[in-house]
Amino acid sequence: EINTVSIESALMTLVIKGNESYFSPTGRNAGDYTMELDDVITLHLMEDGEATAATRGDGSKEGTVLSLLAQPGDDNSDAKGLDTDGYALNGAFLFTIDRDAGVAHLEPSRALLAECPFNPPRPTGSNSVESCILRRDVRDRS
């Protein structure tokens, strides 16, 4: 929501789509699976003036981010089986995998970090205020 300053404006809703029988306490897979949220990265796009609808590849920050998100991800397997070090989900995000610990972490791609850093520079002079910022909301469930 634009121009909000309340605690409620920072709430996030996560919706997970899947087969309920995998997570139900009863049924054929009862108790076999759990869902754990390990990493959350939010992306914040801001522009000066009146907001306009961006399209992929139009040269704007939002258009560039849309292009990165639309890129197909990597296949997470190779000739030897499962890719064990990680893979790209799309052009914007990737998984790094620690097989020994049994954990995968969500990370921004270098291309996304180039457009949307975690700590962006302060706008100076007559530069446009159009910007994109990444924020790590959850890392390792903490």
Side-chain angles (χ1 to χ4, degrees), residues 45-52 123 125-131:
L45 291 158
M46 292 149 285
E47 59 186 33
D48 55 350
E50 190 171 320
T52 58
S126 62
N127 290 348
S128 171
V129 187
E130 181 187 38
S131 64

Side-chain angles (χ1 to χ4, degrees), residues 19-48:
N19 186 333
E20 181 184 356
S21 69
Y22 287 109
F23 306 102
S24 173
T26 61
R28 85 185 152 116
N29 297 312
D32 289 346
Y33 301 95
T34 61
M35 182 67 66
E36 297 176 352
L37 181 66
D38 283 322
D39 296 291
V40 175
I41 297 174
T42 55
L43 190 132
H44 305 266
L45 291 158
M46 292 149 285
E47 59 186 33
D48 55 350

Side-chain angles (χ1 to χ4, degrees), residues 48-71:
D48 55 350
E50 190 171 320
T52 58
T55 57
R56 285 187 275 171
D58 70 1
S60 68
K61 290 273 186 191
E62 184 178 357
T64 301
V65 169
L66 288 172
S67 293
L68 291 171
L69 290 169
Q71 289 177 12

Side-chain angles (χ1 to χ4, degrees), residues 27 54 60 71 74 78-79 84:
S60 68
Q71 289 177 12
D74 292 341
D78 58 22
T84 59

